[in-house]
C-alpha cells in the first residue's frame, strides 16, 4: 500500500469501481455508502418472481466492464442480448428500427424523401455552436422531421429531457468535438458504421444489473461501509502532521482521516456535504435539476401476441405521437425474461407523477398494447423524483462549482452518465490519484 487513504462518499457504481481500481494500484480506501445496499441508482429485485430493474436496464459490455466481469468471476451469470439489436422509434403509428447504417437509411420508411435529402445535406450546414440548443442544432443540421421523429426522441430519451431546453455547450460537447475532428456529423456517423465500430453487446446478469455493484462491494468488503452516511466533510485542523491526512469524513461512527476525498453523490447531497468546505459552490450545486420518472413493469408475450418484431432493445416515442410514454426497454426479449419496462414522465410530462400507481400502470399497459399489439399485465410501478440529470440550462451553474485541492467530484452530472462511462472515469481517476 502507498500509505495514503482515499475517502470515497457513495457506493454506487462510480464509488465501488473507483475502490476496485484504487485497490489495484495499492491505494487504501475508505468507502461510505448511506444505504444498506450497494449500487446507488442500480437497483434490481424480483416482483412475483420476475426480475425488475428499478434503475438502469442494460449496460454495454465495454472492455472495462469485461475486465470487471473477469476480476469478479461473474461470467457464468452474464446475460447477453443478441448482437446488433436496433433501438426503434414509434412514429406515424408504427415502430421503425432507427436507421443508422447507410442501407437502413436508404430503405427506411420512417423518413420522407425530403427529410432524407435534408440529412444528406448536413455536411454543408454551419458547424454546431455551444450557444444553440440541442433541438436547434439537430433541426438546423438534419431537418425538422428527422429531429422530431428520430434524433430528438433518441437523444432526449437518454435523459428524459427536452432537447429544446438542452444547450449544446453542456449536453453535446462530445459531439461538437467529433464534428470538429471529422468536419461533419454525418461523416462521423458513416465513419463509425463503415469502420465496423459497432456498439458492444447489451448485457445484464441473471439476477439483474445490481449483481455488479454487489460483487464489487463483496470483493472490497474491508474498505466498504454500507449503511453509513457521511454527514460532513471537513478540513483537519490543529494536527501537526506534515504530509498527513488533510480531510475528515464524519459519520455516526466517528470521523475517518483521509488524504483525498472523492464525492460521487447527487448534486443536492454533494451541496450538503460541502457546506463547510466549499460554501461558495453550494448554491450552484443545488441549482442543477433532475428529471422525474415513473417506470411501469409489464408482463407481456411479444413473441406470441405482439404484432412487431421483438428482436430490439426497445423504443423511444416520436415527438408527434399522441402518447404519454417516453419509451420502453425490452428486457424480456433481450435477456430471456418476462417483464418489459415502460418509462413515463421526464421533462415533457412531470405531471404524470401526480397520478396514482394504478393509473400510471394503466396508461403504460394501454400504450404498450397500442405500440406492440400485445396486451400487458402490470407487475410493478416505481417512481424516481430525481431520476436523470437534466443537462438543461441549469448546467450553467456547474461553471461556478469549485472544490478545494484534494476534493474531487466523480459524478454523472459533471461527466457522462452511462454505467460504462462511470466505470471509465473511475479507472482514470484511480490512476490519477495513485500517481498524485
Ligand atoms: C432510471 C435510470 C435509468 C438508467 N438507465 C441506464 C442504462 O440503461 N444504462 C446505463 O449505462 N446507464 C443508465 N443510467 C445511468 C447510470 O445508471 C447512472 O448514471 C449511474 O449508475 C450513477 O452511478 P453513480 O455511482 O455515479 O451515482 P449513484 O448511483 O447515484 O451513487 C451515489 C451513491 O451515493 C450514496 N450517498 C448519497 N449520499 C451519501 C452520503 N451522505 N454518504 C454516503 N453515501 C451517500 C447514494 O446512496 C448512492 O448509493 C440510468 C440512470 C437512471 C437514474
Amino acid at each position: 500500500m502507498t500509505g495514503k487513504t482515499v475517502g470515497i462518499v457513495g457506493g454506487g457504481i462510480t464509488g465501488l469501481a473507483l475502490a476496485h481500481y484504487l485497490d489495484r494500484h495499492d491505494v487504501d480506501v475508505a468507502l461510505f455508502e448511506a444505504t444498506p445496499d450497494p449500487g446507488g441508482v442500480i437497483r434490481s429485485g424480483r416482483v412475483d418472481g420476475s426480475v425488475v430493474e428499478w434503475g438502469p436496464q442494460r449496460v454495454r459490455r465495454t472492455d472495462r466492464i469485461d475486465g470487471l466481469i473477469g476480476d469478479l468471476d461473474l461470467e457464468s451469470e452474464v446475460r447477453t442480448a443478441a448482437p446488433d439489436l436496433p433501438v426503434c422509434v414509434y412514429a406515424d403509428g408504427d415502430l421503425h428500427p432507427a436507421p443508422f447504417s447507410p442501407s437502413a437509411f436508404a430503405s427506411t420508411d420512417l423518413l420522407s424523401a425530403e427529410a432524407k435529402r435534408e440529412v444528406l445535406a448536413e455536411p454543408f450546414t454551419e458547424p454546431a455552436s455551444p450557444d444553440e440548443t440541442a433541438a436547434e442544432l439537430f433541426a438546423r443540421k438534419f431537418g425538422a422531421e428527422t429531429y422530431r421523429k428520430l434524433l430528438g426522441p433518441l437523444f432526449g430519451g437518454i435523459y428524459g429531457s427536452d432537447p429544446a431546453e438542452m444547450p449544446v455547450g453542456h449536453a453535446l460537447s462530445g459531439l461538437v468535438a467529433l464534428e470538429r475532428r471529422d468536419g461533419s456529423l454525418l461523416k462521423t456517423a458513416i465513419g463509425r458504421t463503415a469502420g465496423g465500430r459497432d456498439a458492444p453487446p447489451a448485457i445484464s446478469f441473471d439476477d439483474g444489473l445490481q449483481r455488479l455493484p454487489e460483487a464489487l462491494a463483496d470483493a472490497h468488503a474491508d474498505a466498504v461501509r454500507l449503511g453509513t452516511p457521511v454527514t460532513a466533510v471537513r478540513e483537519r485542523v490543529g494536527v501537526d502532521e506534515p504530509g498527513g491526512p488533510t480531510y475528515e469524513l464524519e459519520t455516526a461512527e466517528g470521523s475517518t482521516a483521509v488524504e483525498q476525498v472523492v464525492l460521487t453523490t447527487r448534486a443536492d447531497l454533494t451541496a450538503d456535504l460541502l457546506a463547510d468546505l466549499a460554501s461558495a459552490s453550494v448554491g450552484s450545486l443545488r441549482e442543477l435539476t433532475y428529471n422525474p420518472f415513473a417506470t411501469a413493469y409489464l408482463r407481456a408475450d411479444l413473441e406470441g401476441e405482439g404484432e412487431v418484431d421483438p428482436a430490439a432493445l426497445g423504443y423511444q416515442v416520436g415527438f408527434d405521437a399522441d402518447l404519454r410514454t417516453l419509451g420502453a426497454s425490452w428486457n424480456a426479449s433481450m435477456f430471456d425474461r418476462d417483464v418489459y419496462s415502460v418509462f413515463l414522465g421526464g421533462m415533457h410530462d412531470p405531471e404524470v407523477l401526480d397520478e396514482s400507481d394504478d393509473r400510471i400502470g394503466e396508461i403504460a399497459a394501454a400504450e404498450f398494447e397500442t405500440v406492440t399489439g400485445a396486451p400487458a399485465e402490470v407487475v410493478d410501478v416505481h417512481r424516481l423524483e430525481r431520476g436523470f440529470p437534466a443537462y438543461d440550462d441549469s448546467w450553467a451553474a456547474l461553471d461556478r462549482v469549485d472544490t478545494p485541492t484534494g476534493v474531487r467530484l466523480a459524478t454523472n452530472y459533471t461527466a457522462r452518465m452511462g454505467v460504462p462511462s462511470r466505470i471509465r472515469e473511475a479507472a482514470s481517476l484511480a490512476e490519477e490519484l495513485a500517481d498524485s
Side-chain angles (χ1 to χ4, degrees):
M1 293 286 163
T2 57
K4 62 183 164 193
T5 303
V6 175
I8 302 174
V9 186
I13 194 64
T14 307
L16 289 165
L18 179 60
H20 180 74
Y21 294 122
L22 283 170
D23 184 54
R24 293 273 147 129
H25 287 289
D26 281 337
V27 176
D28 281 323
V29 165
L31 183 153
F32 298 92
E33 164 53 40
T35 69
D37 297 309
V41 300
I42 305 181
R43 280 216 309 129
S44 320
R46 284 185 188 264
V47 178
D48 298 341
S50 298
V51 172
V52 294
E53 296 284 10
W54 290 298
Q57 308 294 309
R58 56 182 185 260
V59 298
R60 293 285 178 186
R61 187 171 179 154
T62 56
D63 289 347
R64 288 267 177 220
I65 292 188
D66 195 56
L68 289 181
I69 288 169
D71 292 350
L72 300 165
D73 205 13
L74 291 176
E75 189 60 54
S76 63
E77 299 174 45
V78 173
R79 293 204 177 191
T80 307
D84 303 329
L85 288 180
V87 65
C88 297
V89 283
Y90 179 73
D92 302 327
D94 264 321
L95 274 186
H96 308 258
F100 284 141
S101 71
S103 59
F105 177 75
S107 61
T108 186
D109 59 358
L110 170 68
L111 302 174
S112 67
E114 176 55 26
K116 289 183 185 181
R117 268 194 295 277
E118 285 183 295
V119 170
L120 294 174
E122 186 274 338
F124 306 105
T125 58
E126 289 294 313
S129 148
D131 299 326
E132 63 189 330
T133 66
E136 285 164 347
L137 170 108
F138 288 135
R140 179 173 67 72
K141 291 180 83 64
F142 296 101
E145 183 182 332
T146 301
Y147 164 64
R148 296 196 64 75
K149 284 184 173 172
L150 178 65
L151 299 176
L154 289 184
F155 172 69
I158 299 173
Y159 308 95
S161 273
D162 180 351
E165 305 288 333
M166 303 174 82
V168 165
H170 290 294
L172 279 170
S173 53
L175 205 71
V176 173
L178 289 174
E179 183 188 41
R180 236 177 260 134
R181 186 194 69 188
D182 297 340
S184 126
L185 290 174
L186 196 61
K187 264 197 201 158
T188 306
I190 292 170
R192 292 213 155 186
T193 354
R197 276 180 285 144
D198 293 330
I203 60 160
S204 183
F205 298 91
D206 290 342
D207 288 325
L209 285 174
Q210 200 175 356
R211 185 69 186 102
L212 181 60
E214 278 170 356
L216 282 166
D218 285 348
H220 301 284
D222 290 352
V224 172
R225 268 157 265 179
L226 300 173
T228 313
V230 172
T231 50
V233 183
R234 294 195 207 291
E235 209 164 351
R236 278 191 108 200
V237 285
V239 184
D240 187 16
E241 203 180 321
T246 330
Y247 295 104
E248 283 177 332
L249 301 184
E250 293 193 3
T251 69
E253 290 172 2
S255 70
T256 303
V258 297
E259 277 75 18
Q260 305 270 348
V261 178
V262 180
L263 297 162
T264 70
T265 41
R266 224 175 49 202
D268 53 316
L269 304 174
T270 303
D272 294 342
L273 291 172
L274 290 180
D276 284 351
L277 217 49
S279 54
S281 298
V282 166
S284 304
L285 281 165
R286 291 218 169 96
E287 281 179 41
L288 302 185
T289 54
Y290 285 74
N291 290 323
F293 272 92
T295 312
Y297 300 89
L298 307 179
R299 197 171 284 132
D301 177 11
L302 267 198
E303 319 260 338
E305 299 180 288
E307 292 158 6
V308 293
D309 182 356
L313 297 170
Y315 57 86
Q316 294 295 134
V317 174
F319 288 168
D320 298 324
D322 190 18
L323 299 183
R324 291 185 85 174
T325 301
L326 287 170
S329 183
W330 286 2
N331 298 20
S333 313
M334 269 185 287
F335 301 127
D336 198 16
R337 294 184 184 145
D338 60 355
V339 164
Y340 294 82
S341 310
V342 173
F343 304 99
L344 297 98
M347 195 183 276
H348 288 277
D349 187 15
E351 298 81 19
V352 84
L353 273 91
D354 298 336
E355 306 280 2
S356 66
D357 283 4
D358 284 351
R359 181 68 192 129
I360 290 172
E362 243 170 56
I363 298 168
E367 294 189 354
F368 187 81
E369 186 167 357
T370 300
V371 174
T372 66
E377 172 204 347
V378 182
V379 174
D380 192 26
V381 170
H382 181 66
R383 294 152 185 275
L384 267 179
E385 298 292 339
R386 286 168 176 264
F388 299 113
Y391 276 95
D392 62 2
D393 280 333
S394 69
W395 256 245
L398 257 196
D399 298 340
R400 300 190 297 276
V401 172
D402 197 17
T403 57
T405 308
V407 178
R408 290 175 170 80
L409 308 185
T411 70
N412 65 4
Y413 52 90
T414 46
R416 293 184 63 184
M417 191 180 77
V419 171
S421 302
R422 305 307 321 125
I423 291 173
R424 199 172 51 232
E425 186 181 354
S428 60
L429 180 55
E431 213 160 290
E432 192 187 318
L433 289 168
D435 290 344
S436 66

